């Protein structure tokens, strides 16, 4: 399974960690390279307000993260290591990192997620 598949299965856990950390921006790394510098994380109230406009979809933070992961997967389908960092003015903190289980692991094999280290 690709790192994207692992992350998509972990959306509830990653969302809970984001809420717990209270970070407002995310940095995305794919295979060690920064692919998004400081993505603004919407607040639940902003997502609810957005959904009140006619024709706009109703979205939770979990749904927002899932949609974002699917877009990143489309842009970097061959990714081996994906890392999401919380960004504050004075520090970075790991939210989650997904990487192959062992040396020489192919993308079709299982990846390991490390959501708790930081």
């Amino acid at each position: 399974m690709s790192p994207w598949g692992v992350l998509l299965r972990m959306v509830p856990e990653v969302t809970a960690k984001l809420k717990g950390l209270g970070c407002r921006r995310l940095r995305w790394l794919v295979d060690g390279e920064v692919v998004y510098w400081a993505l603004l994380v919407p607040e639940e109230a902003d997502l609810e307000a957005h959904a009140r406009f006619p024709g706009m979809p109703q979205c939770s933070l979990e749904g927002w993260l899932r949609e974002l992961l699917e877009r990143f997967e489309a842009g970097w389908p061959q990714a081996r290591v994906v890392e999401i960092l919380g960004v504050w003015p004075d520090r970075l903190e790991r939210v989650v990192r997904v990487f192959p289980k062992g040396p020489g692991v192919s993308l079709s094999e299982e990846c390991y997620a490390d959501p708790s280290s930081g």
Side-chain angles (χ1 to χ4, degrees):
M1 176 176 288
S2 78
W4 301 112
V6 173
L7 282 167
L8 285 164
R9 284 191 321 201
M10 295 179 58
V11 164
E13 294 89 350
V14 175
T15 302
K17 186 163 183 187
L18 284 176
K19 288 179 180 179
L21 290 171
C23 62
R24 296 287 298 135
R25 296 191 184 279
L26 299 177
R27 182 165 300 164
W28 293 67
L29 287 86
V30 175
D31 295 332
E33 293 187 38
V34 175
V35 296
Y36 208 110
W37 187 255
L39 177 70
L40 184 63
V41 177
E43 293 183 10
E44 292 279 355
D46 293 337
L47 291 169
E48 290 169 9
H50 185 262
R52 286 194 291 267
F53 286 98
M56 298 309 289
Q58 196 167 26
C59 193
S60 64
L61 186 56
E62 199 171 297
W64 173 84
L65 182 60
R66 183 174 305 284
E67 182 180 316
L68 198 60
L69 285 167
E70 289 168 351
R71 278 196 254 154
F72 274 81
E73 179 181 30
W76 289 273
Q78 299 302 318
R80 291 185 49 81
V81 179
V82 176
E83 189 168 7
I84 303 171
L85 305 173
V87 178
W88 286 267
D90 59 342
R91 74 181 198 280
L92 294 174
E93 187 171 329
R94 181 178 293 151
V95 176
V96 66
R97 179 174 181 254
V98 180
F99 52 94
K101 273 186 162 180
V105 175
S106 73
L107 285 177
S108 64
E109 296 180 48
E110 198 66 32
C111 288
Y112 174 75
D114 181 9
S116 59
S117 69

